[in-house]
Amino acid sequence: MKQENVVKKVYTYFLSEGFKKHRMFFAVRILKALLQSAQPFLSICFIPAIIAEMMNEADGVRLAQLAGTMVLLEFVFSAANGTLGNIIERYAQSFENHFSLILSERIMELDFQLTEDKKALDQLELARNGMSWYSGGMNGLMEPFFTFLSAVITLFGVVVLLVVNAPVVLLISALIVALSAVVNSKLNKIEQEGYRRLSKINRIFGYLGWGLVDFRFGMTIRLYGSKDMMIEKWSRFTEDWNRENVDIANKQLPLQLMRDGARIVHDMAVYFYLGALAILGRITVATTVQMITAASTFTNSLQTIITCYQDMLKKVNYANEYVKFMEYPPAMPKGSRKVTEGKHVFEFKNLSFAYPGSEVQVLKNVNLTIREGEHLSVVGLNGAGKTTLVKLLCRLYDPTEGEIRMDGINIKEYDYNEYMKVFAPVFQDFKLFAFTIRENLLLKDTGEMDMAVEDPLARDTLRKIGMEEKVDSFKNGIDTVLFKQFDADGIEPSGGEQQKLAIARALIKDAPVVILDEPTAALDPIAEYEIYKHFEELVKGKTAIYISHRLSSCQFCDRIAVFAEGCVKEYGTHKELVNLPNGIYAEMFAAQAQYYVNK
Ligand code: ADP
């Protein structure tokens, strides 16, 4: 995309978002820009006037008046500038929070399959860093814009002064500014190239820095003594990070020296020229001083205009990474068809699937129907594709070939959010939050709940899954916080208790289709059998899909689909399959029968 278009796109995005949030911010910013543009004229007007007064047999009173007014005005300008700066800082903080929040919202709404997509993850990292450190966020983007504006106003004033009194100075100053502009643009390019390279290192750094202090890794780190490996990796990436930064600094140094040297040459030329004019008697001492100040204001303003423009482009490019992430193309098409209430029929039609970025077909030409209210057990060895099948059903991914239909219609045609409401899945890697049990079950912030009011639904469900007594034994009952990250009184539920809470959460969602994907894997076959037995009563009347490589669930189910190598190898009732000669199910059942006999 052309640079002008990027500037337009980024400013349109941030101005419209900014306007929605804080209109007053822009009024304050404009006022500050006007003040900033007027401030240099205090010295340009007052200092020569004071010098002229001193040279003409100074009138003490007049001199004091001039100096006093100048100091007073300087004070007023500084105080106003400081106050406005303070207000702007507060807005900047609020904007920072706002843009972080909408980024988080976007991450949570992102198509699931993008959460494993390296390009999307890199873009997220670029967005996060680009928006914070590098562009300075909303205020960072507006700062160069408004400073640019005030410098243009100042420049206009001093150009008039210089054209009238010393046009050559204009030429000298313009040359130096042009040189600085070229140098600055090179400096920015070096910084931006470095930033792209640093983005990957930062992501790995983030994983090592934050991910590994995460309690979840704690056990593996201790039991397998992998601390040294982590520290070594950390050190290696620190070295890479330092090397990259030193490389950037080394490339920038000669250019910075050149820019500073040119500035000195410029000052010397201006002094020399104006000094000569004064000696020749062509201008007065007061005008000489005024022109020196004007020349310096001219270079400063022009410099400011150019650096602001370049700064604006640089920040726009960083902030564009944020906008790009916010507008990241969806990974899957989303329809608008309404989902009808009640139970549904699902059909997998010639469905094949390979995970994004992989050639391996995990599911191959699967044909399967799940009838209204049916309880289906999907069994097979690990890696057979069972979880993948339900992830496709839940539209976390779309099939590579074939389709899935709900009530005869391709699921892609349904409104995505409505379709999501159809399922209450509990996957193997379910997650509970470090919030209260009540919040985990109802998925509502307790800030919005009346804590004095009991939640009959939550309590009833806890009772049904056999967790009521346990929860009541905690000091804060249902309002006990899970885990100890944020609360010393937090509890660490056992694996089995966590599974029960996750199952309770799924039941409370009250969706017509419940999916249990081996959430009981941590339990022994008998405990697993007990849970399924109990669970059957809880999901009566709903469609239920149980996934297991053990067979505890099968005896309660209407039908069983046996998966192997990505295909449905056997399909039928328990009775049918167990009697199939040389059947996979019959063989698995015989092997596991010891657990289930006499049940
Ligand atoms: P099951 O539930 O039967 O144990 P899965 O559906 O989890 O099997 O996995 C089937 C195959 O797909 C496995 O070989 C697994 O390694 C692969 N797989 C699972 N998830 C992903 C993923 N996100 N990306 C790539 N391959 C995956």
Side-chain angles (χ1 to χ4, degrees):
M1 195 189 269
K2 273 196 184 152
Q3 185 68 56
E4 309 90 84
N5 294 341
V6 176
V7 173
K8 204 167 128 199
K9 180 180 98 177
V10 169
Y11 272 96
T12 311
Y13 178 87
F14 282 98
L15 283 174
S16 75
E17 275 295 328
F19 248 72
K20 276 191 255 162
K21 184 80 188 147
H22 292 302
R23 239 158 238 245
M24 273 307 283
F25 166 78
F26 296 93
V28 177
R29 263 258 150 249
I30 290 171
L31 192 60
K32 187 161 187 281
L34 291 176
L35 275 178
Q36 255 177 340
S37 60
Q39 197 159 10
F41 290 98
L42 285 180
S43 342
I44 292 176
C45 298
F46 277 90
I47 292 177
I50 291 170
I51 291 173
E53 198 59 40
M54 284 160 80
M55 303 206 54
N56 300 334
E57 291 149 36
D59 169 354
V61 178
R62 171 109 183 99
L63 208 67
Q65 273 176 348
L66 277 174
T69 315
M70 187 178 98
V71 171
L72 187 71
L73 283 175
E74 283 282 3
F75 173 75
V76 171
F77 270 80
S78 300
N81 237 327
T83 312
L84 294 177
N86 209 302
I87 298 171
I88 287 170
E89 200 41 55
R90 266 180 277 155
Y91 279 122
Q93 191 61 48
S94 168
F95 275 128
E96 199 180 316
N97 295 341
H98 175 70
F99 284 101
S100 297
L101 179 72
I102 55 175
L103 180 70
S104 306
E105 267 176 20
R106 175 84 182 103
I107 295 169
M108 288 188 276
E109 284 167 0
L110 207 61
D111 286 344
F112 179 78
Q113 73 178 63
L114 290 178
T115 62
E116 294 176 348
D117 181 321
K118 195 184 153 305
K119 246 175 92 188
L121 291 177
D122 276 341
Q123 189 58 50
L124 170 62
E125 185 63 25
L126 286 170
R128 273 205 184 113
N129 293 341
M131 191 57 190
S132 51
W133 308 347
Y134 292 90
S135 73
M138 178 74 177
N139 194 36
L141 272 176
M142 294 304 147
E143 177 73 37
F145 177 75
F146 283 100
T147 311
F148 178 93
L149 201 73
S150 64
V152 169
I153 301 173
T154 310
L155 188 77
F156 185 75
V158 286
V159 164
V160 172
L161 268 176
L162 284 168
V163 166
V164 173
N165 294 296
V168 175
V169 172
L170 258 185
L171 193 72
I172 302 172
S173 299
L175 274 175
I176 189 71
V177 173
L179 180 72
S180 298
V182 175
V183 173
N184 270 346
S185 125
K186 289 200 165 135
L187 283 171
N188 286 344
K189 212 165 150 205
I190 294 170
E191 193 184 309
Q192 277 194 31
E193 279 165 5
Y195 158 78
R196 288 222 153 247
R197 289 195 300 270
L198 275 172
S199 140
K200 184 171 171 228
I201 298 180
N202 278 338
R203 192 149 67 83
I204 300 171
F205 231 6
Y207 177 71
L208 288 170
W210 293 110
L212 296 176
V213 291
D214 191 322
F215 290 134
R216 283 172 301 161
F217 295 103
M219 208 186 290
T220 314
I221 287 175
R222 281 169 188 74
L223 290 177
Y224 289 88
S226 48
K227 191 180 102 199
D228 290 346
M229 180 188 91
M230 301 303 165
I231 303 288
E232 273 164 31
K233 269 192 181 294
W234 171 268
S235 312
R236 189 154 57 77
F237 279 104
T238 313
E239 277 166 25
D240 286 355
W241 195 80
N242 285 341
R243 199 175 312 118
E244 205 55 71
N245 276 306
V246 169
D247 185 51
I248 296 172
N250 282 345
K251 282 184 184 151
Q252 286 186 326
L253 187 67
L255 290 164
Q256 282 160 345
L257 289 176
M258 195 157 109
R259 188 180 57 188
D260 297 345
R263 180 79 199 222
I264 295 169
V265 173
H266 161 265
D267 289 352
M268 279 165 52
V270 169
Y271 286 137
F272 185 78
Y273 174 72
L274 288 172
L277 285 185
I279 289 166
L280 293 174
R282 303 259 292 274
I283 51 175
T284 65
V285 175
T287 310
T288 308
V289 172
Q290 189 174 44
M291 285 311 102
I292 287 176
T293 322
S296 137
T297 309
F298 173 82
T299 36
N300 285 343
S301 307
L302 209 52
Q303 189 86 59
T304 307
I305 288 172
I306 290 166
T307 33
C308 279
Y309 178 69
Q310 289 169 337
D311 193 31
M312 220 153 73
L313 291 191
K314 183 176 84 173
K315 287 180 168 166
V316 156
N317 285 336
Y318 289 135
N320 187 32
E321 302 295 352
Y322 181 93
V323 181
K324 274 202 240 164
F325 185 77
M326 295 304 274
E327 292 171 352
Y328 206 88
M332 42 174 66
K334 303 203 174 65
S336 55
R337 191 182 273 272
K338 293 260 166 256
V339 172
T340 51
E341 295 262 316
K343 288 181 238 171
H344 306 279
V345 182
F346 297 92
E347 294 158 278
F348 295 83
K349 292 262 177 198
N350 307 323
L351 175 132
S352 297
F353 178 70
Y355 276 96
S358 159
E359 301 280 296
V360 184
Q361 281 216 324
V362 174
L363 292 172
K364 292 164 217 148
N365 200 27
V366 172
N367 284 290
L368 184 69
T369 302
I370 307 171
R371 296 169 182 83
E372 292 180 27
E374 181 172 81
H375 289 195
L376 175 76
S377 181
V378 181
V379 296
L381 297 178
N382 277 336
K386 306 182 295 293
T387 301
T388 307
L389 183 88
V390 286
K391 285 192 170 163
L392 286 164
L393 180 65
C394 293
R395 271 212 92 188
L396 296 181
Y397 302 91
D398 273 344
T400 324
E401 278 170 50
E403 61 180 32
I404 304 173
R405 293 185 190 162
M406 180 169 84
D407 304 331
I409 289 156
N410 192 325
I411 58 173
K412 291 183 187 175
E413 290 183 28
Y414 288 105
D415 176 281
Y416 188 76
N417 292 328
E418 282 204 14
Y419 185 71
M420 287 294 128
K421 288 187 187 146
V422 173
F423 302 96
V426 184
F427 287 110
Q428 289 167 46
D429 52 354
F430 65 85
K431 293 271 180 294
L432 295 175
F433 302 107
F435 304 142
T436 66
I437 296 175
R438 192 201 298 245
E439 285 173 317
N440 267 288
L441 294 183
L442 303 176
L443 294 178
K444 275 190 205 141
D445 178 21
T446 38
E448 290 175 8
M449 296 182 206
D450 184 349
M451 301 284 279
V453 178
E454 256 300 337
D455 281 295
L457 179 61
R459 180 152 288 282
D460 190 43
T461 315
L462 283 176
R463 185 177 315 120
K464 284 182 181 155
I465 58 158
M467 275 292 281
E468 189 183 28
E469 256 179 54
K470 181 80 193 171
V471 168
D472 281 343
S473 74
F474 302 139
K475 195 169 106 194
N476 295 319
I478 197 170
D479 292 308
T480 302
V481 171
L482 294 186
F483 314 116
K484 293 194 180 290
Q485 270 130 302
F486 307 118
D487 192 338
D489 285 339
I491 53 135
E492 289 288 338
S494 69
E497 285 161 1
Q498 290 193 40
Q499 282 163 349
K500 285 184 176 174
L501 291 175
I503 291 172
R505 175 164 73 188
L507 289 172
I508 287 173
K509 185 176 174 187
D510 196 25
V513 181
V514 180
I515 298 170
L516 287 193
D517 177 7
E518 281 192 289
T520 49
L523 305 179
D524 64 62
I526 301 187
E528 187 182 24
Y529 176 90
E530 290 299 328
I531 286 202
Y532 280 127
K533 195 165 84 174
H534 200 60
F535 198 78
E536 267 297 301
E537 289 159 31
L538 297 177
V539 294
K540 243 187 204 129
K542 294 185 183 213
T543 305
I545 303 170
Y546 298 133
I547 298 180
S548 180
H549 64 278
R550 295 198 293 226
L551 309 181
S552 331
S553 54
C554 300
Q555 293 160 68
F556 314 107
C557 287
D558 305 313
R559 282 192 179 71
I560 297 155
V562 182
F563 270 72
E565 294 150 11
C567 312
V568 184
K569 295 279 184 189
E570 291 168 16
Y571 177 76
T573 62
H574 171 70
K575 224 171 178 177
E576 285 164 1
L577 296 189
V578 86
N579 293 318
L580 218 60
N582 299 325
I584 304 171
Y585 183 82
E587 195 182 314
M588 281 170 87
F589 191 78
Q592 295 180 14
Q594 46 168 324
Y595 299 120
Y596 311 116
V597 283
N598 305 327
K599 282 279 142 203

